[in-house]
């Protein structure tokens, strides 16, 4: 068999997930774990290193590790991008990438409707560095254009599908606006996964994922990645080297194994999520269900055009507020009460008091995150069992 993994770029996504990047050694079928902090300085390595070339194979993680490289190639292929870098966590990928483009006095245009950890870092760190963090509503394209026009902007940043309101960003229009005003467009596409959406095809420059979630899919590690053109990824490589948030090769090996089943996990959990959303929407004890695949969702049409699946995340509001919400979570027996998402096991949490607890009350309520708001990450359990579990838990309210 050919070891040229580039041929898989043209394959369907399930095939790419299995074969792209995998880098066997001698007669091994799988990529070995190169558990080594350093590598022999042969002529090539020495030459690359001395000439300041990215990925000189002289030192692990921060420079180059073959196990990490296998994962980078696999993710790049899945996103239809030239190249990728992996990091120790999603936050390492986000901060390293943004700080490659932003310095003192330079402007970032983004929304407050972001992953809680990203918002914390922008408010606590980026502002302290003198970076001009300018918030607008990315759903308001007029406001986006105004913000890009009124001051030179280095980066436009948003998320494909937001947490936990599952709002869908209009990626083609946002990418076009960024291009028009010379800003680099960067999107955190964790909730969409490369199976449902490839933002580069919609014109975005860079795509970030928290690999911790559905890409790895087994709730057993943290990881992050950024994907884009060779030119930009090489630039960001120097920041990975300097800041040091590198992935460990053992972690990379687990991620590679996880991604091999990404498509079937995505398809299965998305199908179950859709059935649950429809079932919950009809339940008398449920106030509201938020799921992009439901006709009642504001972005139903946009998500249908932009994505090839509505994802495994379902949000809903239970009647009876905080007390009812807590009771429901305590009563579920199949879904575990925990934050995080995208794993094989279903997880249930209340963003108001967990992932979004650090937000001001005003921010939470403005975003529609009220007491009794529940976020559900659909795992791989059978629909019948999840539905029956919700049925019994709701009957106790
Ligand atoms: C979890 C998450 C992150 C942060 O990733 P870590 O791996 O926990 O650092 C960033 N963005 C989104 C959308 C996430 O869900």
């Amino acid at each position: 068999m050919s070891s040229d993994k580039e041929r898989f770029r043209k394959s369907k996504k399930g095939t790419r997930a299995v074969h792209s990047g995998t880098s066997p050694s001698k007669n091994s079928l799988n990529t070995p774990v190169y558990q080594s902090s350093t590598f022999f300085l042969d002529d090539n390595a020495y030459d690359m290193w001395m000439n300041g070339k990215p990925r000189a194979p002289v030192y692990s993680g921060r420079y180059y590790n073959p196990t990490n490289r296998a994962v980078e190639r696999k993710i790049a292929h899945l996103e239809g991008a030239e190249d990728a870098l992996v990091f120790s966590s999603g936050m390492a990928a986000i901060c390293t990438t943004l700080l490659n483009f932003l310095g003192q006095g330079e402007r970032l245009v983004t929304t407050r409707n972001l992953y809680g950890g990203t918002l914390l870092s922008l408010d606590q760190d980026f502002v302290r560095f003198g970076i001009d963090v300018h918030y607008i509503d990315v759903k308001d394209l007029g406001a986006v254009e105004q913000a890009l026009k009124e001051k030179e902007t280095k980066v436009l940043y948003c998320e494909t599908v937001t947490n936990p309101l599952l709002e869908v960003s209009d990626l083609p229009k946002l990418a076009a606006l960024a291009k028009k005003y010379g800003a680099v467009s960067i999107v955190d596409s964790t909730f969409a996964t490369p199976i449902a959406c490839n933002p580069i095809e919609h014109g975005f420059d860079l795509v970030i994922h928290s690999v911790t979630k559905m890409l790895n899919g087994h709730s057993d590690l943290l990881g992050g990645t950024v994907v884009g053109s060779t030119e930009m990824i090489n630039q960001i490589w120097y920041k990975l080297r300097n800041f040091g948030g590198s992935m460990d090769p053992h972690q990379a090996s687990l991620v590679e194994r996880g991604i091999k089943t990404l498509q079937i996990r995505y398809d299965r959990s998305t199908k179950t999520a859709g059935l649950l959303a429809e079932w919950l929407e009809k339940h008398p004890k449920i106030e509201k269900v938020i799921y992009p695949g439901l006709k009642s969702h504001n972005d139903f049409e946009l998500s249908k055009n932009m994505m090839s699946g509505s994802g495994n995340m379902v949000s809903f509001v239970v009647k009876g507020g905080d007390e009812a919400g807590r009771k429901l979570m305590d009563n579920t027996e199949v879904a575990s009460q925990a934050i995080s998402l995208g794993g094989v096991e279903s997880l249930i949490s209340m963003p108001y008091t967990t992932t979004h607890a650090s937000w001001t009350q005003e921010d939470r309520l403005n975003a529609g995150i009220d007491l009794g708001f529940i976020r559900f990450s659909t795992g791989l359990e059978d629909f019948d069992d999840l539905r029956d579990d919700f049925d019994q838990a709701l009957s106790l309210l």
Side-chain angles (χ1 to χ4, degrees):
M1 195 183 100
S2 162
S3 64
D4 175 17
K5 297 295 170 174
E6 285 303 304
R7 75 176 295 280
F8 291 108
R9 270 189 188 282
K10 293 178 229 103
S11 306
K12 300 277 190 192
K13 282 185 185 168
T15 311
R16 280 184 248 168
V18 174
H19 290 291
S20 283
T22 297
S23 179
S25 167
K26 299 205 173 117
N27 62 345
S28 76
L29 180 69
N30 277 306
T31 313
V33 182
Y34 287 83
Q35 195 76 46
S36 186
S37 62
T38 190
F39 300 92
F40 294 120
L41 282 176
D42 62 16
D43 287 349
N44 170 55
Y46 201 74
D47 186 58
M48 282 178 74
W49 186 32
M50 286 299 112
N51 287 301
K53 296 240 174 78
R55 304 180 193 280
V58 299
Y59 194 70
S60 191
R62 291 199 289 115
Y63 280 74
Y64 179 88
N65 182 291
T67 316
N68 293 16
R69 200 67 190 124
V71 179
E72 290 171 349
R73 292 220 166 92
K74 196 182 281 297
I75 295 174
H77 282 204
L78 281 168
E79 280 291 11
E82 285 176 6
D83 213 340
L85 274 176
V86 288
F87 296 83
S88 55
S89 70
M91 283 312 299
I94 291 167
C95 292
T96 308
T97 300
L98 289 178
L99 290 173
N100 177 60
F101 297 100
L102 293 160
Q104 192 173 22
E106 293 178 333
R107 180 180 260 206
L108 164 71
V109 169
T110 187
T111 164
R112 287 198 77 76
N113 199 357
L114 290 178
Y115 172 70
T118 308
L119 201 61
L120 272 183
S121 188
L122 294 181
D123 283 346
Q124 295 182 356
D125 308 315
F126 283 58
V127 169
R128 187 166 55 86
F129 300 156
I131 294 164
D132 172 13
V133 182
H134 185 79
Y135 294 107
I136 38 90
D137 176 6
V138 286
K139 298 295 286 174
D140 181 349
L141 295 169
V144 176
E145 177 147 25
Q146 179 60 31
L148 295 174
K149 192 154 56 178
E150 73 193 11
K151 183 180 170 195
E152 187 197 342
T153 299
K154 294 286 179 190
V155 176
L156 175 67
Y157 182 83
C158 66
E159 296 176 2
T160 307
V161 179
T162 67
N163 168 33
L165 290 168
L166 310 179
E167 270 183 5
V168 182
S169 300
D170 192 333
L171 299 186
K173 293 210 171 106
L174 289 168
L177 281 172
K179 206 148 279 167
K180 183 172 169 192
Y181 293 98
V184 174
S185 50
I186 307 177
V187 61
D188 177 340
S189 204
T190 301
F191 273 48
T193 83
I195 299 299
C197 184
N198 291 135
I200 300 229
E201 284 173 9
H202 296 302
F204 263 72
D205 292 315
L206 291 165
V207 186
I208 289 173
H209 294 279
S210 168
V211 168
T212 313
K213 314 297 166 51
M214 199 174 276
L215 277 171
N216 179 60
H218 293 75
S219 310
D220 51 7
L221 56 80
L222 303 193
T225 188
V226 60
V227 188
S229 68
T230 303
E231 192 190 340
M232 278 192 188
I233 293 298
N234 280 349
Q235 276 179 29
I236 300 165
W237 176 86
Y238 291 98
K239 301 302 155 203
L240 166 63
R241 181 197 63 186
N242 294 356
F243 298 158
S246 57
M247 188 175 268
D248 177 86
H250 186 70
Q251 186 188 3
S253 172
L254 288 171
V255 172
E256 205 206 341
R257 182 165 78 167
I259 296 176
K260 286 180 183 178
T261 55
L262 173 65
Q263 189 186 48
I264 53 168
R265 285 186 288 105
Y266 179 86
D267 287 350
R268 157 83 173 210
S269 57
T270 292
K271 186 168 169 222
T272 309
L275 292 169
L276 279 174
E278 282 171 20
W279 182 82
L280 286 166
E281 201 172 39
K282 291 191 201 109
H283 199 284
K285 289 189 179 161
I286 300 294
E287 180 88 42
K288 179 163 93 166
V289 180
I290 300 169
Y291 186 67
L294 289 176
K295 286 213 177 71
S296 57
H297 193 286
N298 284 341
D299 298 321
F300 175 74
E301 287 297 328
L302 174 62
S303 73
K304 217 170 55 177
N305 294 334
M306 210 181 77
M307 309 202 308
S308 61
S310 303
N312 76 312
M313 301 302 294
V314 181
S315 294
F316 57 93
V317 182
V318 59
K319 286 181 185 165
D322 191 39
E323 199 188 330
R326 279 173 196 274
K327 216 162 155 194
L328 173 70
M329 291 197 301
D330 289 342
N331 290 339
T332 54
E333 289 166 358
V334 179
S336 307
Q337 217 178 123
I339 58 167
S340 201
L341 56 116
V344 295
E345 55 291 286
S346 292
L347 298 179
I348 190 165
S349 67
M350 271 166 103
Y352 190 94
T353 48
T354 58
T355 50
H356 291 65
S358 61
W359 286 29
T360 65
Q361 176 149 338
E362 195 190 352
D363 271 351
R364 281 180 288 192
L365 295 181
N366 280 344
I369 305 164
D370 211 337
L371 290 156
F373 187 109
I374 303 237
R375 186 184 83 173
F376 185 73
S377 171
T378 314
L380 299 184
E381 301 93 343
D382 286 90
F383 165 68
D384 290 357
D385 291 321
L386 289 169
R387 177 202 55 206
D388 291 351
D389 191 30
F390 271 125
D391 206 22
Q392 65 80 21
L394 285 163
S395 74
L396 298 172
L397 298 186

